[in-house]
mmCIF file of all heavy atoms in Angstrom:
data_model
loop_
_atom_site.group_PDB
_atom_site.id
_atom_site.type_symbol
_atom_site.label_atom_id
_atom_site.label_comp_id
_atom_site.label_asym_id
_atom_site.label_seq_id
_atom_site.Cartn_x
_atom_site.Cartn_y
_atom_site.Cartn_z
ATOM 1 N N SER A 175 8.069 -138.488 -86.382
ATOM 2 C CA SER A 175 7.848 -138.715 -84.958
ATOM 3 C C SER A 175 7.782 -137.435 -84.142
ATOM 4 O O SER A 175 7.176 -137.413 -83.076
ATOM 5 C CB SER A 175 8.940 -139.630 -84.400
ATOM 6 O OG SER A 175 10.216 -139.041 -84.561
ATOM 7 N N ASP A 176 8.446 -136.374 -84.608
ATOM 8 C CA ASP A 176 8.447 -135.129 -83.843
ATOM 9 C C ASP A 176 7.365 -134.158 -84.289
ATOM 10 O O ASP A 176 7.308 -133.029 -83.800
ATOM 11 C CB ASP A 176 9.821 -134.446 -83.968
ATOM 12 C CG ASP A 176 10.918 -135.270 -83.310
ATOM 13 O OD1 ASP A 176 10.607 -135.962 -82.330
ATOM 14 O OD2 ASP A 176 12.065 -135.217 -83.787
ATOM 15 N N SER A 177 6.559 -134.563 -85.236
ATOM 16 C CA SER A 177 5.603 -133.605 -85.806
ATOM 17 C C SER A 177 4.179 -134.134 -85.846
ATOM 18 O O SER A 177 3.371 -133.662 -86.644
ATOM 19 C CB SER A 177 6.052 -133.214 -87.218
ATOM 20 O OG SER A 177 6.192 -134.366 -88.039
ATOM 21 N N ILE A 178 3.849 -135.105 -85.034
ATOM 22 C CA ILE A 178 2.508 -135.681 -85.057
ATOM 23 C C ILE A 178 1.512 -134.720 -84.435
ATOM 24 O O ILE A 178 1.709 -134.213 -83.335
ATOM 25 C CB ILE A 178 2.471 -137.020 -84.296
ATOM 26 C CG1 ILE A 178 3.494 -137.995 -84.883
ATOM 27 C CG2 ILE A 178 1.063 -137.624 -84.346
ATOM 28 C CD1 ILE A 178 3.381 -138.196 -86.373
ATOM 29 N N LYS A 179 0.457 -134.462 -85.162
ATOM 30 C CA LYS A 179 -0.606 -133.574 -84.694
ATOM 31 C C LYS A 179 -1.896 -134.384 -84.545
ATOM 32 O O LYS A 179 -2.078 -135.396 -85.229
ATOM 33 C CB LYS A 179 -0.793 -132.411 -85.658
ATOM 34 C CG LYS A 179 0.468 -131.559 -85.819
ATOM 35 C CD LYS A 179 0.232 -130.367 -86.725
ATOM 36 C CE LYS A 179 1.520 -129.597 -86.962
ATOM 37 N NZ LYS A 179 2.160 -129.137 -85.722
ATOM 38 N N VAL A 180 -2.766 -133.892 -83.679
ATOM 39 C CA VAL A 180 -4.038 -134.576 -83.424
ATOM 40 C C VAL A 180 -5.180 -133.590 -83.591
ATOM 41 O O VAL A 180 -5.122 -132.455 -83.096
ATOM 42 C CB VAL A 180 -4.071 -135.195 -82.014
ATOM 43 C CG1 VAL A 180 -5.463 -135.735 -81.691
ATOM 44 C CG2 VAL A 180 -3.033 -136.316 -81.890
ATOM 45 N N ALA A 181 -6.213 -134.042 -84.285
ATOM 46 C CA ALA A 181 -7.419 -133.236 -84.500
ATOM 47 C C ALA A 181 -8.618 -134.000 -83.948
ATOM 48 O O ALA A 181 -9.130 -134.919 -84.601
ATOM 49 C CB ALA A 181 -7.626 -132.950 -85.989
ATOM 50 N N PRO A 182 -9.053 -133.686 -82.738
ATOM 51 C CA PRO A 182 -10.252 -134.341 -82.206
ATOM 52 C C PRO A 182 -11.471 -134.044 -83.077
ATOM 53 O O PRO A 182 -11.691 -132.895 -83.496
ATOM 54 C CB PRO A 182 -10.403 -133.716 -80.816
ATOM 55 C CG PRO A 182 -9.037 -133.217 -80.467
ATOM 56 C CD PRO A 182 -8.452 -132.764 -81.768
ATOM 57 N N SER A 183 -12.231 -135.072 -83.361
ATOM 58 C CA SER A 183 -13.435 -134.921 -84.179
ATOM 59 C C SER A 183 -14.655 -134.710 -83.300
ATOM 60 O O SER A 183 -15.011 -135.585 -82.500
ATOM 61 C CB SER A 183 -13.644 -136.165 -85.045
ATOM 62 O OG SER A 183 -14.909 -136.115 -85.691
ATOM 63 N N ILE A 184 -15.298 -133.556 -83.459
ATOM 64 C CA ILE A 184 -16.449 -133.265 -82.603
ATOM 65 C C ILE A 184 -17.670 -134.098 -82.968
ATOM 66 O O ILE A 184 -18.690 -134.018 -82.282
ATOM 67 C CB ILE A 184 -16.808 -131.765 -82.592
ATOM 68 C CG1 ILE A 184 -17.213 -131.272 -83.984
ATOM 69 C CG2 ILE A 184 -15.670 -130.948 -82.030
ATOM 70 C CD1 ILE A 184 -17.804 -129.864 -83.969
ATOM 71 N N LEU A 185 -17.556 -134.936 -83.997
ATOM 72 C CA LEU A 185 -18.643 -135.869 -84.287
ATOM 73 C C LEU A 185 -18.913 -136.766 -83.087
ATOM 74 O O LEU A 185 -20.028 -137.236 -82.892
ATOM 75 C CB LEU A 185 -18.284 -136.712 -85.515
ATOM 76 C CG LEU A 185 -19.339 -137.672 -86.047
ATOM 77 C CD1 LEU A 185 -20.583 -136.917 -86.507
ATOM 78 C CD2 LEU A 185 -18.780 -138.507 -87.195
ATOM 79 N N SER A 186 -17.870 -137.002 -82.273
ATOM 80 C CA SER A 186 -18.007 -137.871 -81.104
ATOM 81 C C SER A 186 -18.191 -137.093 -79.804
ATOM 82 O O SER A 186 -18.236 -137.698 -78.729
ATOM 83 C CB SER A 186 -16.772 -138.769 -80.983
ATOM 84 O OG SER A 186 -16.660 -139.617 -82.099
ATOM 85 N N ALA A 187 -18.272 -135.779 -79.889
ATOM 86 C CA ALA A 187 -18.458 -134.964 -78.683
ATOM 87 C C ALA A 187 -19.913 -135.026 -78.225
ATOM 88 O O ALA A 187 -20.800 -135.500 -78.946
ATOM 89 C CB ALA A 187 -18.049 -133.523 -78.957
ATOM 90 N N ASP A 188 -20.155 -134.517 -77.027
ATOM 91 C CA ASP A 188 -21.511 -134.408 -76.492
ATOM 92 C C ASP A 188 -22.103 -133.100 -77.010
ATOM 93 O O ASP A 188 -21.717 -132.020 -76.585
ATOM 94 C CB ASP A 188 -21.456 -134.404 -74.963
ATOM 95 C CG ASP A 188 -22.836 -134.344 -74.316
ATOM 96 O OD1 ASP A 188 -23.827 -134.065 -75.026
ATOM 97 O OD2 ASP A 188 -22.921 -134.559 -73.089
ATOM 98 N N PHE A 189 -23.055 -133.192 -77.939
ATOM 99 C CA PHE A 189 -23.594 -131.982 -78.566
ATOM 100 C C PHE A 189 -24.333 -131.090 -77.573
ATOM 101 O O PHE A 189 -24.456 -129.889 -77.788
ATOM 102 C CB PHE A 189 -24.524 -132.347 -79.719
ATOM 103 C CG PHE A 189 -23.819 -132.958 -80.906
ATOM 104 C CD1 PHE A 189 -24.541 -133.430 -81.989
ATOM 105 C CD2 PHE A 189 -22.445 -133.063 -80.935
ATOM 106 C CE1 PHE A 189 -23.895 -133.990 -83.080
ATOM 107 C CE2 PHE A 189 -21.790 -133.624 -82.022
ATOM 108 C CZ PHE A 189 -22.514 -134.084 -83.097
ATOM 109 N N ALA A 190 -24.818 -131.674 -76.486
ATOM 110 C CA ALA A 190 -25.502 -130.868 -75.484
ATOM 111 C C ALA A 190 -24.517 -130.031 -74.670
ATOM 112 O O ALA A 190 -24.910 -129.050 -74.043
ATOM 113 C CB ALA A 190 -26.319 -131.762 -74.551
ATOM 114 N N CYS A 191 -23.258 -130.443 -74.688
ATOM 115 C CA CYS A 191 -22.213 -129.740 -73.928
ATOM 116 C C CYS A 191 -21.000 -129.521 -74.829
ATOM 117 O O CYS A 191 -19.860 -129.729 -74.406
ATOM 118 C CB CYS A 191 -21.816 -130.545 -72.699
ATOM 119 S SG CYS A 191 -23.178 -130.989 -71.611
ATOM 120 N N LEU A 192 -21.248 -129.101 -76.060
ATOM 121 C CA LEU A 192 -20.187 -129.049 -77.059
ATOM 122 C C LEU A 192 -19.042 -128.130 -76.643
ATOM 123 O O LEU A 192 -17.865 -128.496 -76.748
ATOM 124 C CB LEU A 192 -20.760 -128.609 -78.407
ATOM 125 C CG LEU A 192 -19.782 -128.561 -79.586
ATOM 126 C CD1 LEU A 192 -19.060 -129.889 -79.751
ATOM 127 C CD2 LEU A 192 -20.522 -128.187 -80.870
ATOM 128 N N LEU A 193 -19.356 -126.948 -76.177
ATOM 129 C CA LEU A 193 -18.295 -126.024 -75.790
ATOM 130 C C LEU A 193 -17.487 -126.566 -74.613
ATOM 131 O O LEU A 193 -16.260 -126.424 -74.571
ATOM 132 C CB LEU A 193 -18.874 -124.647 -75.456
ATOM 133 C CG LEU A 193 -17.847 -123.541 -75.189
ATOM 134 C CD1 LEU A 193 -16.884 -123.396 -76.354
ATOM 135 C CD2 LEU A 193 -18.558 -122.215 -74.905
ATOM 136 N N ASP A 194 -18.163 -127.218 -73.676
ATOM 137 C CA ASP A 194 -17.451 -127.828 -72.553
ATOM 138 C C ASP A 194 -16.464 -128.878 -73.049
ATOM 139 O O ASP A 194 -15.327 -128.967 -72.561
ATOM 140 C CB ASP A 194 -18.431 -128.479 -71.575
ATOM 141 C CG ASP A 194 -19.238 -127.457 -70.778
ATOM 142 O OD1 ASP A 194 -18.815 -126.284 -70.734
ATOM 143 O OD2 ASP A 194 -20.282 -127.833 -70.227
ATOM 144 N N ASP A 195 -16.888 -129.683 -74.021
ATOM 145 C CA ASP A 195 -16.003 -130.714 -74.552
ATOM 146 C C ASP A 195 -14.818 -130.095 -75.301
ATOM 147 O O ASP A 195 -13.689 -130.608 -75.234
ATOM 148 C CB ASP A 195 -16.782 -131.654 -75.482
ATOM 149 C CG ASP A 195 -17.424 -132.803 -74.728
ATOM 150 O OD1 ASP A 195 -17.336 -132.824 -73.489
ATOM 151 O OD2 ASP A 195 -18.027 -133.680 -75.382
ATOM 152 N N ILE A 196 -15.061 -129.009 -76.015
ATOM 153 C CA ILE A 196 -13.965 -128.333 -76.709
ATOM 154 C C ILE A 196 -12.961 -127.783 -75.711
ATOM 155 O O ILE A 196 -11.744 -127.877 -75.898
ATOM 156 C CB ILE A 196 -14.514 -127.212 -77.620
ATOM 157 C CG1 ILE A 196 -15.306 -127.834 -78.784
ATOM 158 C CG2 ILE A 196 -13.379 -126.343 -78.161
ATOM 159 C CD1 ILE A 196 -16.067 -126.817 -79.622
ATOM 160 N N ARG A 197 -13.463 -127.215 -74.635
ATOM 161 C CA ARG A 197 -12.581 -126.684 -73.592
ATOM 162 C C ARG A 197 -11.660 -127.775 -73.017
ATOM 163 O O ARG A 197 -10.515 -127.512 -72.648
ATOM 164 C CB ARG A 197 -13.412 -126.089 -72.460
ATOM 165 C CG ARG A 197 -14.194 -124.848 -72.834
ATOM 166 C CD ARG A 197 -13.297 -123.642 -72.924
ATOM 167 N NE ARG A 197 -14.063 -122.409 -73.025
ATOM 168 C CZ ARG A 197 -13.862 -121.482 -73.942
ATOM 169 N NH1 ARG A 197 -12.912 -121.659 -74.849
ATOM 170 N NH2 ARG A 197 -14.574 -120.381 -73.971
ATOM 171 N N LYS A 198 -12.170 -128.993 -72.941
ATOM 172 C CA LYS A 198 -11.389 -130.085 -72.355
ATOM 173 C C LYS A 198 -10.171 -130.445 -73.203
ATOM 174 O O LYS A 198 -9.185 -130.963 -72.670
ATOM 175 C CB LYS A 198 -12.272 -131.330 -72.193
ATOM 176 C CG LYS A 198 -13.360 -131.200 -71.140
ATOM 177 C CD LYS A 198 -14.245 -132.437 -71.137
ATOM 178 C CE LYS A 198 -15.409 -132.289 -70.162
ATOM 179 N NZ LYS A 198 -16.321 -133.467 -70.234
ATOM 180 N N ILE A 199 -10.247 -130.193 -74.511
ATOM 181 C CA ILE A 199 -9.182 -130.681 -75.389
ATOM 182 C C ILE A 199 -8.348 -129.580 -76.023
ATOM 183 O O ILE A 199 -7.308 -129.849 -76.620
ATOM 184 C CB ILE A 199 -9.771 -131.577 -76.510
ATOM 185 C CG1 ILE A 199 -10.878 -130.867 -77.312
ATOM 186 C CG2 ILE A 199 -10.353 -132.860 -75.906
ATOM 187 C CD1 ILE A 199 -10.429 -130.086 -78.500
ATOM 188 N N GLU A 200 -8.754 -128.318 -75.897
ATOM 189 C CA GLU A 200 -8.129 -127.298 -76.736
ATOM 190 C C GLU A 200 -6.660 -127.031 -76.409
ATOM 191 O O GLU A 200 -5.904 -126.595 -77.286
ATOM 192 C CB GLU A 200 -8.931 -126.002 -76.728
ATOM 193 C CG GLU A 200 -9.087 -125.313 -75.410
ATOM 194 C CD GLU A 200 -9.981 -124.085 -75.522
ATOM 195 O OE1 GLU A 200 -10.261 -123.646 -76.645
ATOM 196 O OE2 GLU A 200 -10.400 -123.570 -74.475
ATOM 197 N N LYS A 201 -6.213 -127.305 -75.181
ATOM 198 C CA LYS A 201 -4.804 -127.072 -74.855
ATOM 199 C C LYS A 201 -3.893 -128.163 -75.391
ATOM 200 O O LYS A 201 -2.687 -127.951 -75.554
ATOM 201 C CB LYS A 201 -4.628 -126.937 -73.342
ATOM 202 C CG LYS A 201 -5.213 -125.651 -72.768
ATOM 203 C CD LYS A 201 -4.934 -125.527 -71.275
ATOM 204 C CE LYS A 201 -5.511 -124.233 -70.719
ATOM 205 N NZ LYS A 201 -5.272 -124.093 -69.255
ATOM 206 N N ASN A 202 -4.445 -129.324 -75.673
ATOM 207 C CA ASN A 202 -3.645 -130.454 -76.145
ATOM 208 C C ASN A 202 -3.816 -130.720 -77.635
ATOM 209 O O ASN A 202 -2.948 -131.333 -78.258
ATOM 210 C CB ASN A 202 -4.012 -131.724 -75.373
ATOM 211 C CG ASN A 202 -3.658 -131.637 -73.911
ATOM 212 O OD1 ASN A 202 -4.125 -130.750 -73.204
ATOM 213 N ND2 ASN A 202 -2.835 -132.563 -73.425
ATOM 214 N N ALA A 203 -4.926 -130.276 -78.195
ATOM 215 C CA ALA A 203 -5.219 -130.543 -79.608
ATOM 216 C C ALA A 203 -4.490 -129.547 -80.508
ATOM 217 O O ALA A 203 -4.115 -128.450 -80.080
ATOM 218 C CB ALA A 203 -6.718 -130.475 -79.858
ATOM 219 N N ASP A 204 -4.314 -129.939 -81.766
ATOM 220 C CA ASP A 204 -3.686 -129.061 -82.756
ATOM 221 C C ASP A 204 -4.717 -128.453 -83.712
ATOM 222 O O ASP A 204 -4.516 -127.351 -84.214
ATOM 223 C CB ASP A 204 -2.651 -129.852 -83.557
ATOM 224 C CG ASP A 204 -1.563 -130.414 -82.665
ATOM 225 O OD1 ASP A 204 -0.697 -129.637 -82.227
ATOM 226 O OD2 ASP A 204 -1.596 -131.635 -82.389
ATOM 227 N N TYR A 205 -5.774 -129.187 -83.955
ATOM 228 C CA TYR A 205 -6.885 -128.737 -84.797
ATOM 229 C C TYR A 205 -8.172 -129.244 -84.167
ATOM 230 O O TYR A 205 -8.152 -130.164 -83.343
ATOM 231 C CB TYR A 205 -6.790 -129.310 -86.230
ATOM 232 C CG TYR A 205 -5.630 -128.821 -87.045
ATOM 233 C CD1 TYR A 205 -4.376 -129.431 -86.941
ATOM 234 C CD2 TYR A 205 -5.777 -127.758 -87.932
ATOM 235 C CE1 TYR A 205 -3.298 -128.983 -87.693
ATOM 236 C CE2 TYR A 205 -4.707 -127.318 -88.694
ATOM 237 C CZ TYR A 205 -3.465 -127.933 -88.564
ATOM 238 O OH TYR A 205 -2.416 -127.480 -89.301
#
């Protein structure tokens, strides 16, 4: 419970704005 990590999959990101989508999640994501 204290060690759960999340890895957003960019397969579901907007490829036209990929870097923007990465910026939205990078502070909360682990991978």
Side-chain angles (χ1 to χ4, degrees):
S175 61
D176 294 329
S177 56
I178 303 307
K179 300 183 185 303
V180 172
S183 171
I184 62 170
L185 185 62
S186 297
D188 182 347
F189 291 175
C191 305
L192 183 54
L193 187 55
D194 289 342
D195 272 4
I196 292 171
R197 293 284 191 231
K198 291 175 184 176
I199 55 89
E200 62 184 347
K201 290 184 179 179
N202 295 58
D204 300 285
Y205 294 85

